[in-house]
Amino acid sequence: SSTASGAAVKSYAVDAGMRAVNDHYRRTGLPAEARQGPVEGCFYTGVYTLAEKPPVSVIIPNKDHVRDLDTCLRSLYERCTYGRLEVLVMENNSTDPATFHYYQDAEARYPGLRVVRYEGPFNFSAINNLGAARASGEYLLLLNNDIEAETPDFLERMMAYAVQPDVGAVGARLLYPDRTVQHAGILVGFRGVAGHLFAGLPEKQPGYMGRAVATMEVSAVTAACLLVRRSV
């Protein structure tokens, strides 16, 4: 009858742990609620309350690849529930005339979308910096053009952490089309420089101590989907 054989043996211990975390939230004034995590008895998920929705500017670098970009934009405008979005598509050296026809259609179709031209050779940092300079949002979401939003409230969930004063940047778990992990945090020093944790792990696998499905602090997150306060 030990929890070493499984958390369900003494479920009251799991409940007591959750009460302890929630008591801590109340004592410290954190606007959060502890819930059972995906791996019972392993960890709890702190669900933060987002009291308000500050405006967010989404910055998407693009060169041609209209099909990818269209999938990305459709997912933001048709699934995302956040609402207060400004989207800047950062055009850089596209050569296909169909791309510019698509830009015109997208600006007419999607409210709050603008196409901004970056002149010069590809420079990821410079492109995003120009986007940040042209953006009006208090928060910036750097997003690759091949990212498709699947979870409707993904931005609310990311923002709930981004507004915390001790958080610098927030990333998301990203999956390949075959439903394996592409990104679940980056560990600096791994593989000589840095590497993605749990890369290639099947979507449903929780990983070591549930860390592949836990919200956690990591060394870095990929700029393929990175939310940051403008002030930071």
Side-chain angles (χ1 to χ4, degrees):
S1 298
S2 168
T3 52
S5 63
V9 173
K10 296 180 179 178
S11 60
Y12 61 85
V14 176
D15 296 337
M18 190 152 50
R19 287 197 302 274
V21 177
N22 279 319
D23 286 345
H24 168 73
Y25 286 153
R26 283 192 289 273
R27 281 195 306 271
T28 57
L30 284 173
E33 176 189 0
R35 299 178 186 173
Q36 176 59 56
V39 183
E40 186 179 25
C42 192
F43 63 89
Y44 305 102
T45 297
V47 181
Y48 282 74
T49 301
L50 187 63
E52 57 183 25
K53 293 184 177 181
V56 175
S57 295
V58 185
I59 301 173
I60 307 174
N62 188 71
K63 177 184 178 181
D64 294 317
H65 290 275
V66 165
R67 182 175 297 180
D68 287 336
L69 178 62
D70 184 61
T71 299
C72 178
L73 292 178
R74 283 179 181 272
S75 72
L76 288 176
Y77 281 94
E78 296 177 7
R79 294 181 194 157
C80 181
T81 57
Y82 191 79
R84 301 193 67 186
L85 288 183
E86 170 190 56
V87 178
L88 281 71
V89 176
M90 306 301 297
E91 155 57 29
N92 179 226
N93 297 329
S94 292
T95 58
D96 187 349
T99 300
F100 298 95
H101 289 304
Y102 176 80
Y103 288 157
Q104 290 181 328
D105 178 67
E107 286 184 308
R109 189 191 334 164
Y110 297 125
L113 185 144
R114 288 185 287 142
V115 177
V116 178
R117 293 201 180 202
Y118 175 84
E119 304 292 345
F122 175 77
N123 182 313
F124 186 76
S125 298
I127 291 171
N128 280 295
N129 282 330
L130 176 62
R134 298 286 182 87
S136 61
E138 297 175 38
Y139 290 77
L140 306 174
L141 176 64
L142 310 186
L143 198 66
N144 278 9
N145 63 355
D146 62 350
I147 298 290
E148 179 180 0
E150 290 189 334
T151 309
D153 65 344
F154 83 94
L155 196 48
E156 285 93 337
R157 291 164 67 173
M158 293 178 72
M159 281 292 295
Y161 289 99
V163 299
Q164 304 304 319
D166 59 340
V167 174
V170 180
R173 190 171 74 144
L174 306 178
L175 302 175
Y176 287 118
D178 67 357
R179 313 305 297 180
T180 60
V181 173
Q182 184 263 338
H183 172 265
I186 294 172
L187 180 64
V188 172
F190 180 43
R191 292 178 176 169
V193 180
H196 287 211
L197 297 168
F198 306 109
L201 192 73
E203 176 186 12
K204 302 297 184 182
Q205 292 293 321
Y208 174 72
M209 296 296 288
R211 287 174 67 88
V213 291
T215 302
M216 59 181 178
E217 292 188 7
V218 292
S219 305
V221 296
T222 176
C225 182
L226 186 156
L227 182 64
V228 63
R229 290 192 301 279
R230 176 184 291 278
S231 58
V232 173

